[in-house]
């Protein structure tokens, strides 16, 4: 089974991808995670990627499609998290899947209000060592990770960058929902509930 998750920033794509992958035994392919790995190196190309990500802007379709093609040849059964993110990526992805004799079974569209997403961004912390993601309430104390490491904020998890990411989402990514709706692949799930409730709704769509 191959699934795509589409959602605005901080809607819970990463969290739900992990749940889905564990439950259905699929491979998690997050272009955000792949790019953060590239951005941690210090050659000119990686620094350019890092700068764009910190500003909340998109990385070129060419770079993204290369990353995807290499990864999907390695395995079977994926949850695509954060990809495709532009209409051009979606169209190119269709061609690539056809070439590799693969197909998308379902596209899950996680919906959440901008206000809720913005609050989640404010409370989101990550572990620089093991990559775990945590969400804290505004008055909650920021505790260390379960692995003992002190948590940090992602460089692009601040109010200004969130505004940019949200605009980019509305302009570039939102149109691909209609592209997949016309193919009869879209299922909408309300992502403003708790993570387990959202996952229950996703299972109801997939089972
Ligand atoms: P979120 O969806 O919460 O904004 P991601 O981890 O999915 O976070 O993405 C972080 C950043 O990585 C994006 O703001 C963008 O700069 C870059 N990125 C991720 N996926 C893509 C993609 N498919 N195409 C272009 N840029 C991407």
């Amino acid at each position: 089974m191959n699934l795509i998750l589409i959602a605005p920033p901080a809607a819970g794509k990463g969290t739900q991808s992990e749940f889905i992958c564990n439950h259905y035994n699929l491979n998690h392919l997050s272009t955000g995670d792949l790019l953060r790995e590239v951005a941690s190196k210090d050659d000119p190309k990686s620094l350019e990627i890092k700068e764009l990500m910190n500003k909340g802007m998109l990385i070129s379709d060419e770079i993204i499609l290369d990353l995807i093609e290499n990864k999907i040849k390695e395995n079977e059964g994926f949850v695509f998290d954060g990809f495709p993110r532009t209409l051009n990526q979606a169209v190119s992805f269709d061609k690539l899947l056809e070439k590799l004799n693969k197909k998308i079974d379902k596209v899950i569209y996680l919906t959440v209000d901008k206000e809720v997403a913005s609050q989640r961004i404010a409370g989101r912390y990550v572990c620089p060592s093991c990559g775990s993601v945590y969400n804290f309430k505004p008055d909650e104390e920021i505790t260390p990770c379960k692995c003992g490491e002190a948590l940090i904020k992602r460089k692009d998890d601040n109010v200004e960058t969130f505004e940019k990411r949200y605009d980019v989402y509305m302009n570039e990514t939102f149109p691909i929902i209609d592209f997949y709706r016309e193919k009869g692949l879209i299922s909408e799930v309300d992502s403003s509930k708790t993570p387990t409730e959202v996952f229950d709704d996703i299972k109801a769509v997939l089972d």
Side-chain angles (χ1 to χ4, degrees), residues 1-195:
M1 176 161 70
N2 289 307
L3 304 174
I4 293 174
L5 288 193
I6 302 179
K13 286 192 306 285
T15 307
Q16 295 304 327
S17 296
E18 293 291 348
F19 286 163
I20 299 170
C21 288
N22 290 336
H23 188 82
Y24 296 97
N25 201 16
L26 298 171
N27 301 288
H28 184 193
L29 206 163
S30 155
T31 41
D33 287 349
L34 289 176
L35 289 167
R36 274 184 285 280
E37 206 179 302
V38 176
S40 67
K41 308 197 175 107
D42 57 10
D43 56 284
K45 191 100 215 147
S46 306
L47 291 173
E48 196 184 314
I49 289 177
K50 182 162 147 187
E51 199 174 317
L52 285 171
M53 290 177 82
N54 288 348
K55 287 186 188 151
M57 288 156 78
L58 294 184
I59 311 307
S60 78
D61 291 342
E62 199 192 345
I63 292 180
I64 299 292
L65 283 151
D66 263 3
L67 282 174
I68 290 287
E69 176 156 8
N70 291 334
K71 284 283 164 193
I72 61 175
K73 279 180 181 160
E74 288 170 9
N75 246 315
E76 284 300 322
F78 287 95
V79 172
F80 295 95
D81 160 4
F83 172 87
R85 220 171 177 107
T86 63
L87 205 47
N88 182 41
Q89 286 181 15
V91 172
S92 307
F93 191 34
D94 256 11
K95 290 189 191 130
L96 176 64
L97 289 168
E98 205 181 321
K99 185 175 98 184
L100 300 174
N101 212 7
K102 294 176 190 280
K103 69 173 176 63
I104 295 300
D105 298 283
K106 189 73 82 195
V107 179
I108 296 175
Y109 168 34
L110 296 177
T111 61
V112 73
D113 285 349
K114 186 178 174 187
E115 191 52 35
V116 175
S118 165
Q119 282 164 9
R120 286 184 184 170
I121 288 274
R124 178 154 81 179
Y125 284 76
V126 294
C127 175
S129 173
C130 70
S132 297
V133 181
Y134 294 82
N135 269 279
F136 294 92
K137 306 231 160 54
D139 49 2
E140 229 179 320
E141 189 197 337
I142 314 302
T143 50
C145 179
K146 56 180 186 298
C147 76
E149 191 74 39
L151 299 176
I152 56 164
K153 284 207 74 71
R154 244 169 67 176
K155 268 269 169 41
D156 58 348
D157 275 355
N158 57 66
V159 181
E160 304 87 78
T161 314
F162 171 76
E163 287 295 327
K164 177 70 188 165
R165 282 156 68 196
Y166 198 86
D167 284 351
V168 169
Y169 169 78
M170 288 311 290
N171 293 329
E172 305 282 343
T173 310
F174 192 69
I176 72 177
I177 291 162
D178 270 348
F179 174 83
Y180 286 116
R181 190 171 275 130
E182 275 162 29
K183 293 174 183 289
L185 291 175
I186 287 274
S187 291
E188 206 167 310
V189 172
D190 176 5
S191 192
S192 54
K193 302 182 189 173
T194 66

